[in-house]
Amino acid sequence: PPTPFPPWGGGPPPRHIVAYDEYMTAHVEPFLELATGLGGPVAEAVGPFREAFLAQRAFLVMASKCQKPTAQQRNDKCSFAGEAMATIVRLGDRTDMEKHTKAMKSIIEMFGWLMMDPVVVDSLEKFPEPVIYHSNTLPRDLTAFRTALGNVAMKLVAYVKENCRMGVPFNPRGMPMADYVEGASDATPAAAAPAAAP
């Protein structure tokens, strides 16, 4: 089923949130549908994979309402990525779908862009390389799965370059991150639009 995105309170969402939702709908969900169809550990990994992408969205939403945090605070808030990777790898460990789940895990590794400030484009463009490597180890008859996997990776790079080139868009007029409560109604001023790519 399509991913239900939490509603945005207090006016229209920033364009980078809208673009993220469009990315998930157009690329992440079709991949997850194919993954579900494979069954076994890959289908089991769909849940934590989707939750990781929703957690990345939640981080971006939080950032749009909060002042820039310390590096440690940001790292703590991004711990969801490591947890998701560990779960996905564990599900496929020592099974005939181990290569599939390693490929899925390599997508979540790309969430490292959340710590870049600003985004280093040369590094960002190399993020899909492990995905491509793992994809090439998969059976050749999984053409649709491998193609969709690559799309998730490449389109994430495109999303970041187009919408978050200067890094995660925090809100200078927002609240301290320590005070943020996910889903709570607030009157935090809207975040400034991310700077356009040069």
Side-chain angles (χ1 to χ4, degrees):
T3 298
F5 299 116
W8 180 271
R15 65 177 176 83
H16 69 285
I17 300 297
V18 173
Y20 188 84
D21 292 351
E22 292 171 347
Y23 159 71
M24 278 200 68
T25 300
H27 303 289
V28 178
E29 285 303 329
F31 167 72
L32 292 178
E33 184 175 348
L34 291 168
T36 299
L38 293 181
V42 173
E44 293 177 39
V46 164
F49 190 95
R50 178 184 281 118
E51 287 303 313
F53 270 87
L54 287 174
Q56 181 170 229
R57 181 189 190 273
F59 182 86
L60 293 171
V61 169
M62 174 178 62
S64 71
K65 299 181 179 183
C66 294
Q67 300 164 16
K68 186 177 178 180
T70 65
Q72 186 59 55
Q73 285 176 318
R74 191 193 300 205
N75 188 65
D76 291 345
K77 291 293 185 179
C78 290
S79 63
F80 65 86
E83 294 165 4
M85 288 190 287
T87 299
I88 290 168
V89 169
R90 177 178 53 78
L91 288 170
D93 191 35
R94 295 184 175 87
T95 72
D96 59 358
M97 288 186 163
E98 184 172 13
K99 292 179 179 179
H100 303 63
T101 54
K102 283 184 177 179
M104 294 174 73
K105 173 246 186 184
S106 65
I107 293 278
I108 308 301
E109 287 178 341
M110 294 178 63
F111 289 10
W113 79 269
L114 294 170
M115 300 299 293
M116 289 184 175
D117 196 19
V119 169
V120 180
V121 175
D122 287 347
S123 297
L124 178 71
E125 291 178 341
K126 293 179 180 178
F127 277 14
E129 290 179 0
V131 180
I132 295 169
Y133 169 80
H134 288 295
S135 177
N136 287 338
T137 69
L138 298 176
R140 294 297 174 182
D141 59 345
L142 295 179
T143 302
F145 178 86
R146 294 168 65 227
T147 299
L149 180 76
N151 283 342
V152 172
M154 299 307 296
K155 294 300 183 180
L156 179 57
V157 170
Y159 164 79
V160 175
K161 289 171 69 174
E162 184 173 345
N163 297 279
C164 304
R165 191 70 167 262
M166 299 309 294
V168 173
F170 290 100
N171 188 342
R173 296 178 294 166
M175 68 184 79
M177 187 171 283
D179 296 341
Y180 178 79
V181 178
E182 186 173 355
S185 175
D186 62 75
T188 302

